[in-house]
Amino acid sequence: MRLCDYEKQGIRERCEQALEKLRTLQPQLNAVVTFCDIDEQLEALKDRDPKGKLYGMPIVLKDNVSTKGIRTTASSRILDNYVPVYDANIVERLKEQGAIIIAKASMDELGMGGTNKNAYTGKVNNPYDLKRISGGSSGGSAVLVAAGGVAVAIGTDTGDSVRKPAAYNGIIGVKPTYGRISRYGIIPYASSLDHVGYFTTNVEDACTMLEVLAGRDDRDMTSSYREVEAYREHLNSDLKGKVIGILDSVQDTIKEERIKTNVEELCAKLAARGAQIRHVQMPQELMETILPVYLTIANAEATANHSNLDGIRFGMREDGESVEEVMKHSRTKGFSAYVRKRFIIGSYSLFVENQDKLFRKAQKIRRLIVDHYRALFEECDCIIASAAPTIAPYEDEAMDEALGLERLVADNHMQLGNFSGYPSMTLPSGSIDGMPIGVNITCRPFEEQTMFNIGKAIEEETGLADHTVEVKA
Ligand code: GLN
C-alpha cells in the first residue's frame, strides 16, 4: 500500500476504513494499544492546507510518541493511564501536513527489546506467520504497515528497532541521521542512541516521510539546522560511480546460506547498473564488542532517563507509607522483571566506583568502533549487509541478548548506525520459506538522498515495492 492509494477515496471514508481494517487485524496481530478518535482530527483538517503532503492520510504512531489528549503508554504498565498534555514535535509536523493519527502501536516496553514480546499488552504477531515474532521494539508499527493496515507508521530506533522489524516483516524501515528528526516529546530510551524512524512499503513514500518529519526544533538541542532536502523530487536510481561496500565482517558470520547469497546476488545486479562493489571489513574483536558496549551505554542512559517514572509525577501509583515506599511499590509493579533487570545493570555501571570500568570504558570503545566505521566511508558511499541472520523466529526461539557467538555479530551489527548516527535503512530483498528477508544499507551522515537513491535501485531490482501480506487466520 502506498500513500497515493488513498487518493481515490474521500478522507473520512478512507480513515474509517483504515480504522476498521486495524480492528479486524487486532485479534490476529495484537499490534494496537489504543485506537484513536478521528472526528476532532477530521474537523481540524479544515484549517490545514489541502496541499499538505499527508493531507487526510491515516497514520499509526509507536506508543512512545507523545500525543496530546491521547494515552501514551510506551507499552509499560507504569504509563497505563498516562495522557500527555502536549504533542511531540513530529506529531505537530504530521498534523501540519494533514495526517490523521488512527492508532498508537504496541512496542517492547520502553523500547527495550528486539522481539515485541516485552509489551505490557502481550506479543505482537508476524503477519506472515502468526506464531512468529514481529521483531521489536517497533513491532506494532511494522506489522500494521506489512499487513496493509496503513501506508506509513512511525517507530523509533535505539539499536535497530525500526530496521530489524522491517526485515522480519518485508517492508522498508528508515532511521535517518542522528539529529535529522527532533526527539522532542518521544519517551526516551537512551538519548545518545535514540532516533525517530518510520516504516513504508516503497522508497518514494520514505522520501516524503522524511520531508515531513525532519528539521530543526529548538526544543531538541541535538536537532540539526541543516536544510531538509527535496528527497522525492531528486530521487534517481542511477548508480554510476557509486561505491558500495559489502560488510564481510557481518556476512561471514551468517549461517543461513540463502541469506548470504541474497546479498551477493543483489550486489551483482547493482554492479550491472554501474555500481562498484567492494568487500570491506571491520576488526572482528570490535564487532564482537558491539552488543556489550551497546547494552552498557543503553542501560545506563535508560536508568537515568526513567528515574522520573516514580509513581509520583505521572503514571500509575501504588500506595505506600512514605514517598520512598510509593516509588518502590510503583516501580516494582509498574515495570516488568526484564526492564527492572536492565535498570539494575544500568545503575551498576553508573556507581561512582564502576563508572570508569564500565560506562566510560563502553563510551571509549564506542568511539573506537565509530572511528573504524567512519574510515570505511572514505572509500564507500554506502555499506550493505543482511539486516538479520535469520527469518523472524518463532515465539519460543526468540530472545533478547543472545550472547552466543552464533548470532552475536550478525544480529547486532545495525547498532553501528546508532553508535555513529549515520543514516541507515532496511529494504525487503526476498523471502525464505515464505518469510521475508531484508538488506540494510548505511550512508554518510546527512546523505539520506544517496541512501534513498541506492534504495530505489535496490527496489527496482527486487520488484518488492508496495508489497504487503494478507493475514491468514
Ligand atoms: N534490541 C535493542 C534493545 O533491546 C534495540 C532496541 C531499540 O532499538 N529500541 O535495546
Side-chain angles (χ1 to χ4, degrees), residues 244-247 263 266-267 270 382-386 439-441 458:
I244 300 178
I246 304 178
L247 190 50
V263 169
L266 177 62
C267 285
L270 301 181
C382 169
I383 299 292
I384 192 166
S386 301
V439 286
N440 178 252
I441 57 173
I458 293 175

Side-chain angles (χ1 to χ4, degrees), residues 32-106:
V32 175
V33 179
T34 305
F35 291 95
C36 302
D37 185 24
I38 56 170
D39 287 341
E40 245 177 70
Q41 295 185 68
L42 290 172
E43 191 58 35
L45 262 194
K46 296 199 178 99
D47 303 324
R48 306 278 178 201
D49 181 355
K51 288 202 282 302
K53 290 190 164 90
L54 300 175
Y55 192 75
M57 306 286 180
I59 186 168
V60 163
L61 309 179
K62 186 175 180 176
D63 207 23
N64 60 354
V65 180
S66 299
T67 38
K68 186 176 175 180
I70 304 174
R71 194 165 76 112
T72 301
T73 70
S75 285
S76 182
R77 185 190 298 265
I78 206 158
L79 290 173
D80 183 46
N81 61 359
Y82 172 55
V83 179
V85 292
Y86 69 104
D87 277 333
N89 176 262
I90 60 161
V91 174
E92 292 172 354
R93 289 178 188 269
L94 288 165
K95 285 183 176 170
E96 228 166 75
Q97 296 298 324
I100 307 286
I101 300 159
I102 62 168
K104 303 291 295 288
S106 173

Side-chain angles (χ1 to χ4, degrees), residues 25 28-31 123-135 139-149 165-166 168-171 392 434-436 467-473:
L25 290 169
Q28 295 157 322
L29 301 179
N30 192 34
K123 173 189 172 250
V124 170
N125 302 322
N126 191 300
Y128 285 83
D129 178 348
L130 300 177
K131 291 200 266 322
R132 294 180 185 270
I133 60 161
S134 60
S141 301
V143 300
L144 290 172
V145 171
Y168 285 167
N169 295 284
I171 52 171
M435 292 299 296
H467 188 74
T468 54
V469 62
E470 200 67 48
V471 180
K472 286 192 240 36

Side-chain angles (χ1 to χ4, degrees), residues 111-114 137 156-161 189 294 338 342 400 415:
M112 295 180 183
S137 64
T156 56
D157 189 313
T158 304
D160 66 16
S161 276
Y189 168 6
Y294 169 80
Y338 181 69
R342 286 194 176 218
D400 283 297
Q415 290 162 7

Side-chain angles (χ1 to χ4, degrees), residues 138-198:
S138 312
S141 301
V143 300
L144 290 172
V145 171
V150 270
V152 293
I154 301 292
T156 56
D157 189 313
T158 304
D160 66 16
S161 276
V162 165
R163 293 162 293 154
K164 183 72 75 63
Y168 285 167
N169 295 284
I171 52 171
I172 290 178
V174 178
K175 177 205 81 66
T177 310
Y178 187 80
R180 184 65 297 184
I181 301 178
S182 165
R183 290 175 293 119
Y184 174 78
I186 306 296
I187 296 177
Y189 168 6
S191 308
S192 76
L193 300 161
D194 285 347
H195 295 67
V196 173
Y198 52 87

